[in-house]
């Protein structure tokens, strides 16, 4: 029988790859949601005829009804409809919503005990201390879609946890891998949005350019793989063919390689624990070579250092960092601050909110910290402002 799949975030880059994987395999899209792009969402619904279609933005409710009711398709709108959709009866729930907004729907799916294919990293960075215990309590399964974490998941021998020496996340280095700080200071959004290997949404592409993406991924890995922060390393690998590896005490390193396509980790999560054909071109090692590796430069890319420091500080510090980063990236994309100001805003917000860290948090605490950090970071974007 076809696996029932719910897809949250169907109109973005990961959502589009997920639809490819769903269409190519033995899957049925039973629930679908998007943030606000009603036209694209209605097109997906018309093709797949899901049991429920939801738009997160309640102001788009009427537009969605106008498109779907004549087709005899059920639809709804708003945050509580998103959470109900996330918890509906399904074999897989794919969370491809960008940013902190994914937190509540992810928790709803986990609380319902679903197998959650998580493409979003911000909710683990902001609230891994809340999300992971909730998943365990409900007996839910969390499968990482983020390519590096999916790679590590595939080669991580849970039974040999004591023999894991370290895990390594690879980073492409982004469009400014070889740029000077001076060049980065002058970079415009269109320069930063030009990623060499991956075609992704704007937020993650800017995160790749600052390397905050890899900082977020170190924190994400910390929540997914119980090895401790000192055993999570980053290496720059410009070709994005090796996505992650695990080094064991016997000197063996198990790596995962594939073409840089999000269809690979999505298809893996949809079919897990089985494997099935996916619409991906085979990896041509000769054409992909040479594969090269470099140490990351935390002086030119301070976001990586900030993320490590935030993880070490614990409590709500990564919650603050995530919110400040979302605010700073949006300000950069809007042309309100310069590229180097992104890490500066994050660092100043972390300093301003240092010591407010708490343990044993609730979702309400997480959301309160997020709001306060956004307010603080917004103030620093105005101080940095170039407009
Ligand atoms: Mg990644």
């Amino acid at each position: 029988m076809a696996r029932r799949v719910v897809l949250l975030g169907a109109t973005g880059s990961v959502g589009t790859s997920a639809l490819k994987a769903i269409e190519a395999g033995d899957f049925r899209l039973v629930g679908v949601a998007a943030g606000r792009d009603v036209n694209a969402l209605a097109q997906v619904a018309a093709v797949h005829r899901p049991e429920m279609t939801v738009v997160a933005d309640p102001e788009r409710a009427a537009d969605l009804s106008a498109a779907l009711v004549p087709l005899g398709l059920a639809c709804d709108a708003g945050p509580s409809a998103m959470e109900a959709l996330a918890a509906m009866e399904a074999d897989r729930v794919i969370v491809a919503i960008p940013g902190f907004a994914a937190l509540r729907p992810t928790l709803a799916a986990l609380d319902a005990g679903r197998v959650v294919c998580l493409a979003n990293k911000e909710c683990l960075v902001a609230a891994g201390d809340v999300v992971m215990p909730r998943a365990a309590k409900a007996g839910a399964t969390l499968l990482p879609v983020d390519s590096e974490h999916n790679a590590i998941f595939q080669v991580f021998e849970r039974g040999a946890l004591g023999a894991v020496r370290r895990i390594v996340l690879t980073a492409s280095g982004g469009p400014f891998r070889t740029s000077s700080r001076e060049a980065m200071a002058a970079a415009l959004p269109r320069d930063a949005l030009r990623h060499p290997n991956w075609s992704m949404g704007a937020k993650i592409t800017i995160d790749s350019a600052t390397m905050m993406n890899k900082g977020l991924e170190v924190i994400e890995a910390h929540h997914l793989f119980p090895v401790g922060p000192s055993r999570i390393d980053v290496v720059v690998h410009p070709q994005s063919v090796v996505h992650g590896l695990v080094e064991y005490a016997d000197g063996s390193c198990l790596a995962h390689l594939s073409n840089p396509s999000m269809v690979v980790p999505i298809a893996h999560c949809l079919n897990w624990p089985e494997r099935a054909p996916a619409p991906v071109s085979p990896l041509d090692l000769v054409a992909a070579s040479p594969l090269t590796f470099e140490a990351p430069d935390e002086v030119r890319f301070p976001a990586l250092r900030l993320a490590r420091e935030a993880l070490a500080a614990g409590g709500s510090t990564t919650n603050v960092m995530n919110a400040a980063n979302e605010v700073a990236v949006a300000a950069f994309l809007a042309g309100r601050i310069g590229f180097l100001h992104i890490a500066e805003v994050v660092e100043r917000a972390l300093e301003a909110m240092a010591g407010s860290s708490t343990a044993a948090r609730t979702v309400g605490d997480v959301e309160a910290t997020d709001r306060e950090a956004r307010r603080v970071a917004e103030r620093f974007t105005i101080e940095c402002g170039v407009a």
Side-chain angles (χ1 to χ4, degrees):
M1 235 194 21
R3 279 187 175 160
R4 293 167 56 88
V5 179
V6 170
L7 173 56
L8 310 179
T11 57
S13 170
V14 174
T16 305
S17 294
L19 289 169
K20 263 191 220 168
I22 289 166
E23 285 159 14
D26 192 16
F27 305 106
R28 196 156 76 80
L29 189 68
V30 295
V32 67
R36 59 193 65 82
D37 188 348
V38 163
N39 289 340
L41 178 61
Q43 275 180 27
V44 172
V47 171
H48 291 268
R49 302 196 62 82
E51 293 164 18
M52 179 55 75
T53 302
V54 170
V55 64
D57 182 352
E59 292 186 3
R60 308 292 163 104
D63 293 342
L64 189 63
S65 297
L68 295 190
V69 170
L71 302 176
L73 295 171
C75 61
D76 205 345
S80 55
M82 277 295 265
E83 288 176 46
L85 188 79
M88 83 182 267
E89 190 59 50
D91 301 299
R92 291 291 185 276
V93 180
I94 303 175
V95 180
I97 302 165
F100 185 76
L103 179 61
R104 289 266 179 183
T106 301
L107 287 172
L110 292 172
D111 287 344
R114 300 284 172 255
V115 178
V116 177
C117 309
L118 187 65
N120 175 284
K121 62 196 72 170
E122 288 89 344
C123 64
L124 284 183
V125 171
D129 54 335
V130 173
V131 172
M132 297 310 286
R134 286 269 284 262
K137 191 175 165 211
T141 303
L142 199 54
L143 299 176
V145 172
D146 199 352
S147 59
E148 297 79 1
H149 306 74
N150 181 268
I152 289 161
F153 179 83
Q154 292 199 40
V155 296
F156 197 97
E157 295 178 7
R158 294 258 163 193
L161 182 59
V164 173
R165 194 180 278 160
R166 61 176 185 145
I167 64 181
V168 180
L169 306 168
T170 59
S172 70
F176 304 139
R177 180 173 63 89
T178 59
S179 303
S180 65
R181 292 278 292 173
E182 293 68 33
M184 284 191 256
L188 298 172
R190 67 166 179 268
D191 306 317
L193 286 169
R194 216 175 282 133
H195 196 279
N197 304 341
W198 296 93
S199 161
M200 307 179 289
K203 173 15 170 99
I204 185 174
T205 306
I206 301 304
D207 283 342
S208 292
T210 60
M211 289 196 75
M212 178 56 92
N213 184 51
K214 215 47 56 177
L216 300 176
E217 289 185 355
V218 167
I219 298 164
E220 181 186 9
H222 164 72
H223 290 293
L224 292 170
F225 307 104
V227 297
S230 65
R231 292 176 187 270
I232 304 170
D233 279 352
V234 171
V235 65
V236 175
H237 167 46
Q239 296 81 20
S240 298
V241 169
V242 178
H243 302 294
L245 61 89
V246 179
E247 181 184 331
Y248 294 91
D250 63 2
S252 298
C253 294
L254 302 191
H256 170 278
L257 288 74
S258 75
N259 280 321
S261 162
M262 287 308 291
V263 175
V264 175
I266 293 165
H268 171 261
C269 291
L270 286 172
N271 290 297
W272 179 87
E274 287 92 43
R275 289 187 185 271
V280 186
S281 53
L283 174 61
D284 182 338
L285 279 173
V286 174
S289 68
L291 301 183
T292 61
F293 302 91
E294 309 161 5
D297 183 343
E298 293 191 4
V299 177
R300 277 188 308 131
F301 298 98
L304 206 46
R305 167 182 60 81
L306 293 174
R308 283 214 182 268
E309 289 171 359
L311 179 57
S316 60
T317 315
T318 58
N319 195 169
V320 171
M321 186 190 77
N322 180 68
N325 183 57
E326 288 193 23
V327 166
V329 168
F332 171 69
L333 284 170
R336 290 175 39 224
I337 62 172
F339 181 76
L340 294 181
H341 292 139
I342 298 172
E344 188 183 323
V345 166
V346 173
E347 184 152 27
R348 289 175 74 178
L350 283 166
E351 281 166 6
M353 288 183 70
S356 61
S357 168
T358 53
R361 302 185 305 145
T362 65
V363 184
D365 296 334
V366 170
E367 288 175 337
T369 299
D370 180 80
R371 277 193 301 274
E372 174 65 5
R374 281 173 198 271
R375 198 184 58 74
V376 168
E378 202 56 61
R379 180 156 49 86
F380 291 129
T381 65
I382 292 163
E383 284 181 23
C384 288
V386 288

